[in-house]
Amino acid sequence: MPLDSDIAALDRDGFVVMEGILDDSDIASIRSAVDERLAVARRDLTRRHGGTLHLVDLVEGGAPFDRAWNAPRVRAAFEHVLGPNYRIEASYRGPQPGYGAQTLHTDDLPITPGDPYRVASAIVTLTEFNEDNGATRVVPGSHRVPLNDRPKEPDRSHPRERIIAARAGSAIVFNGHVWHSGTRNVSEARRDSLQIVCRRSAPP
């Protein structure tokens, strides 16, 4: 069963921060696996490597990645937003210093009142998230009332945005229709996270 506080936050704000989803051993194992895959990717001359590092198709990566999206509290939050039938996509995102800024966006098209939500997402932090290293920002409540004043520039703030500070091993679970984005990493270290996107699917 999901926690009442998780449900209240998801319904009201469109997101909830869950600490302690991964322990130190989990984080170390995932970061080691990420570094191994990044090393392989860098040798692929057909790939374009920018300032924000990416890995895709991690759902079939097995342990240790699946510990992030199989956490019962995370799955309960997904089910609260989407119901029991959904498919998972998972990737890695690692903005290096100077990179990571995005425009505010949603993970699906807007819905009309009364329509079911189509997407729920989670960012699982593999490093601390703070204002210096490009932490995620959200506009609370924007899953219910879409933004009409969304900034078009990545580094421009919104008056209602909130930058989410979180410890490593946390999950920021949000309704995929809430407006959110990464911010610019102005620290001296890479900021690592797993990105999980769940989309509603038809009942089996």
Side-chain angles (χ1 to χ4, degrees):
M1 293 291 291
L3 298 179
D4 290 344
S5 57
D6 291 348
I7 291 175
L10 284 167
D11 290 346
R12 179 187 65 245
D13 301 324
F15 72 97
V16 61
V17 180
M18 305 175 179
E19 292 193 347
I21 295 301
L22 301 176
D23 62 25
D24 290 346
S25 176
D26 294 331
I27 295 168
S29 295
I30 293 173
R31 294 196 68 186
S32 177
V34 162
D35 285 340
E36 290 176 5
R37 289 172 181 244
L38 287 175
V40 172
R42 288 189 180 98
R43 294 196 293 270
D44 184 352
L45 300 181
T46 66
R47 292 186 56 173
R48 181 172 175 269
H49 305 288
T52 297
L53 305 179
H54 295 275
L55 296 169
V56 297
D57 300 329
L58 296 181
V59 169
E60 301 302 326
F65 295 107
D66 56 7
R67 297 171 193 162
W69 48 83
N70 282 330
R73 193 175 166 195
V74 173
R75 296 299 288 258
F78 289 154
E79 188 164 333
H80 174 68
V81 176
L82 299 176
N85 301 304
Y86 56 86
R87 65 185 188 277
I88 295 179
E89 304 164 4
S91 60
Y92 156 84
R93 184 172 184 266
Q96 300 182 94
Y99 294 89
Q102 299 172 310
T103 56
L104 284 168
H105 63 277
T106 62
D107 291 336
D108 205 306
L109 296 174
I111 58 174
T112 57
D115 285 348
Y117 294 122
R118 293 191 295 263
V119 61
S121 304
I123 297 172
V124 179
T125 62
L126 302 178
T127 57
E128 179 186 356
F129 271 37
N130 57 55
E131 291 195 13
D132 288 338
N133 69 2
T136 301
R137 60 175 172 166
V138 301
V139 180
S142 55
H143 61 304
R144 294 181 283 104
V145 181
L147 297 186
N148 293 320
D149 56 348
R150 177 175 66 91
K152 302 300 193 295
E153 300 83 17
D155 289 305
R156 186 178 165 197
S157 62
H158 185 275
R160 289 173 34 225
E161 75 178 35
R162 175 180 164 189
I163 295 179
I164 302 176
R167 298 176 182 174
S170 301
I172 306 164
V173 183
F174 51 95
N175 185 312
H177 298 275
V178 78
W179 289 85
H180 64 280
S181 81
T183 58
R184 191 171 303 279
N185 182 358
V186 297
S187 74
E188 298 181 355
R190 195 177 77 199
R191 179 183 58 72
D192 289 350
S193 67
L194 298 180
Q195 315 274 307
I196 305 163
V197 178
C198 299
R199 301 189 183 278
R200 182 186 293 272
S201 59

